């Protein structure tokens, strides 16, 4: 059953890749007279392939549920896989309402990227820890994922509006261009992170470094060694690493490693490894972004704009607003109210200022401000789209950044 689940996951991944190519092909008619007919025809085919991919995702989800004995949302691999499925579901709903082919060019690859990111984490079925063995796992996590999915569609529509609206002619203001390109560069960095992890995983790279951890027991300081496993070359070693284990680290392309130790203020045994992952992600993403710019010889956002000239910016803004308006109450229930009820049951407190809790609150406050400002006519259009983009960047930091950088009660999700 679990093997079938993994096979279905791979089938869904490749079907979405094919659907993305078909969506791009549907918009590739240029200015030909039958462009509208071509877009409708190939757009329907691409959407049909997307639906088949979604069914494969559903097959993965339910067969893994049966094989594992619990709903598969208990770790980062399972949650991000489920989030990708919810993004496709939200995209399907929005597509059936607005019939926007160009939204598929952005929505489907976002799901592919998230599925790729999910595959970075161990995919083995893990038993539920006691705190997760609750009916609230079903309610809280699934509603959070659905809320995030609608925020993602809002982000895509907002980004589409910006790509369509921001001018690139000689007299256009430079600041919006720079921020839009920064957004595109951030997406490339995420892709770079996924790529570099797969490269080193495929090469079988693994290094273990011992970290000295001090603890106080019976009034005396005791020192023990904790093993930290690196699956990428350790540019950054754990704080207070054991010198004997550092001597065993091989050089990388002629460079002696590690280059430095993690700072002492970064708490947690895995802090050095997490910082190392962040640095590798930034380096790989920036190199990849530089290569893309070298090939296309223009900003990425500017090169995409010709493909979205047929988009109605007002429609894109409406899709963005309505998607976020749908996702907000779902996230409010799942991410805050039901989460606090579960926290009271599991840990005997509603709130503990855990990093994931704090960033969930920041996300909720941001989208509250978005919906409030959106009522003002002056915030319709470009300003609203920028908020939709920034909001989803906050969501991604809550999902990715908190697990990579900060330790907390939700750190089990990154195992």
């Amino acid at each position: 059953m679990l093997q079938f689940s993994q096979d279905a996951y791979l089938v869904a991944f490749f079907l979405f890749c094919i659907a993305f190519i078909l969506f791009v092909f549907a918009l590739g008619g240029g200015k030909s007279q039958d462009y509208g007919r071509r877009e409708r025809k190939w757009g329907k085919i691409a959407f049909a392939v997307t639906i088949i991919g979604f069914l494969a995702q559903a097959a993965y989800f339910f067969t893994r549920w049966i094989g594992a004995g619990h709903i598969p949302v208990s770790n980062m691999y399972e949650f991000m896989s489920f989030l990708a499925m919810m993004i496709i579901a939200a995209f399907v709903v929005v597509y059936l309402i607005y019939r926007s082919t160009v939204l598929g060019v952005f929505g489907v690859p976002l799901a592919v990227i998230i599925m790729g990111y999910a595959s970075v984490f161990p995919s083995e079925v893990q038993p539920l820890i006691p705190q997760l063995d609750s009916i609230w796992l079903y309610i809280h996590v699934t509603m959070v994922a659905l809320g995030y999915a609608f925020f993602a569609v809002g982000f895509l529509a907002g980004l589409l509006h910006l790509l369509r609206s921001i001018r690139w002619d000689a007299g256009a203001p430079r600041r919006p261009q720079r921020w839009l390109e920064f957004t595109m560069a951030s997406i490339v960095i995420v892709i770079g992170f996924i790529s570099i992890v797969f490269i080193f995983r495929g090469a079988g790279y693994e290094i273990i470094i011992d970290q000295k951890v001090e603890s106080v027991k019976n009034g005396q300081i005791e020192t023990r060694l904790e093993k930290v496993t690196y699956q990428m070359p350790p540019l950054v070693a754990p704080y207070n690493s054991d010198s004997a284990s550092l001597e065993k680290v091989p050089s990388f392309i002629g460079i002696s490693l590690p280059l430095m130790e993690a700072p002492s203020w970064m708490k947690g045994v895995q802090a050095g490894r997490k910082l190392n992952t962040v640095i590798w992600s930034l380096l790989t993403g920036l190199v990849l972004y530089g290569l893309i710019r070298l090939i296309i010889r223009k900003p990425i956002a500017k090169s995409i704009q010709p493909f979205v000239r047929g988009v109605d910016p007002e429609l894109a803004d409406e899709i963005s607003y309505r998607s976020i308006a749908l996702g907000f109450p779902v996230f409010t229930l799942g991410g805050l109210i039901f989460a606090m009820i579960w926290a009271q049951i599991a840990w005997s407190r509603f709130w503990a200022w855990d990093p994931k809790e704090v960033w969930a609150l920041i996300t909720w406050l941001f989208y509250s401000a978005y919906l409030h400002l959106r009522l003002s006519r002056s915030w319709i259009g470009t300003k609203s789209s920028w908020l939709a983009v920034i909001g989803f960047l906050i969501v991604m930091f809550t999902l990715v950044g908190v697990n990579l950088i900060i330790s907390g009660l939700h750190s089990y999700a990154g195992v």
Side-chain angles (χ1 to χ4, degrees), residues 244-266:
S245 64
L246 291 180
E247 293 175 357
K248 299 177 182 178
V249 177
S251 60
F252 180 71
I253 59 172
I255 302 174
S256 298
L257 298 179
L259 301 178
M260 57 178 285
E261 277 193 353
S264 58
W265 53 265
M266 291 190 69

Side-chain angles (χ1 to χ4, degrees), residues 143 147 151 323-335 337 364 371:
M143 292 190 72
F151 291 160
S323 298
I324 292 173
L326 282 171
F328 182 76
V330 177
F331 178 75
T332 300
L333 286 172
I337 297 175
W364 184 84
L371 292 172

Side-chain angles (χ1 to χ4, degrees), residues 19-56:
F20 167 63
I21 295 171
L22 292 173
F23 274 120
V24 172
F25 183 75
L27 297 176
K31 298 180 179 179
S32 60
Q33 294 181 350
D34 63 340
Y35 171 67
R37 185 170 56 188
R38 172 198 175 107
E39 179 184 349
R40 287 191 297 271
K41 175 185 175 181
W42 288 101
K44 289 179 180 178
I45 295 174
F47 181 69
V49 174
T50 304
I51 292 294
I52 298 172
F54 177 73
L55 293 176

Side-chain angles (χ1 to χ4, degrees), residues 51-316:
I51 292 294
I52 298 172
F54 177 73
L55 293 176
Q57 273 186 316
Y60 146 79
F61 180 76
F62 288 109
T63 53
R64 187 177 178 93
W65 189 343
I66 295 170
H70 58 79
I71 188 171
V73 291
S74 61
N75 54 45
M76 278 299 285
Y77 170 78
E78 293 176 345
F79 178 79
M80 297 304 289
S81 301
F82 181 68
L83 176 60
M85 186 170 73
M86 289 296 97
I87 287 176
I88 292 295
F91 161 72
V92 167
V93 171
V94 174
Y95 181 89
L96 291 174
I97 296 172
Y98 295 100
R99 302 290 176 175
S100 176
T101 301
V102 71
L103 193 61
V105 176
F106 292 85
V108 173
L110 177 62
V112 170
I113 291 172
I114 290 178
M115 291 177 74
Y117 175 68
S119 300
V120 166
F121 296 93
S123 61
E124 294 80 10
V125 172
Q126 300 169 354
L128 288 179
I129 64 174
Q131 291 88 341
L132 292 181
D133 192 7
S134 168
I135 187 63
W136 292 103
L137 173 68
Y138 299 71
I139 301 172
H140 163 61
V141 180
T142 53
M143 292 190 72
V144 167
L146 185 59
Y148 282 162
F150 279 107
F151 291 160
V153 175
F155 155 75
L156 293 169
L159 181 61
L160 188 58
H161 180 277
L162 294 173
L163 289 169
R164 173 64 179 82
S165 302
I166 289 179
R167 295 164 42 222
W168 290 90
D169 52 81
R174 293 287 181 263
R175 180 176 294 180
Q177 297 176 1
R178 291 169 184 157
W179 281 112
L180 182 58
E181 190 63 13
F182 173 78
T183 302
M184 304 307 297
S186 300
I187 296 173
V188 172
I189 287 174
V190 174
I191 296 173
F193 162 65
I194 296 171
S195 302
I196 197 66
V197 170
F198 275 113
I199 289 172
F200 284 116
R201 176 180 289 183
Y205 189 94
E206 184 174 290
I207 292 294
I208 297 177
I209 299 177
D210 294 329
Q211 179 180 8
K212 298 177 183 177
V213 179
E214 295 181 347
S215 59
V216 179
K217 188 175 183 180
N218 298 326
Q220 295 183 341
I221 298 177
E222 295 184 352
T223 302
R224 69 181 189 279
L225 294 180
E226 291 281 355
K227 296 186 180 298
V228 182
T229 302
Y230 282 74
Q231 294 181 319
M232 288 185 280
L235 303 175
V236 180
Y239 172 72
N240 200 20
S241 298
D242 179 60
S243 56
S245 64
L246 291 180
E247 293 175 357
K248 299 177 182 178
V249 177
S251 60
F252 180 71
I253 59 172
I255 302 174
S256 298
L257 298 179
L259 301 178
M260 57 178 285
E261 277 193 353
S264 58
W265 53 265
M266 291 190 69
K267 298 180 180 180
V269 175
Q270 302 295 328
R273 181 186 60 80
K274 291 180 177 181
L275 179 59
N276 188 70
T277 301
V278 171
I279 292 174
W280 268 109
S281 302
L282 291 173
L283 288 176
T284 308
L286 291 174
V287 170
L288 181 59
Y289 174 76
L291 290 174
I292 294 173
R293 287 291 302 271
L294 187 64
I295 293 171
I296 64 178
R297 297 186 178 275
K298 64 175 69 173
I300 296 176
K302 184 178 180 180
S303 66
I304 293 176
Q305 192 173 61
F307 295 96
V308 298
R309 282 177 180 165
V311 173
D312 181 356
E314 293 184 0
L315 177 61

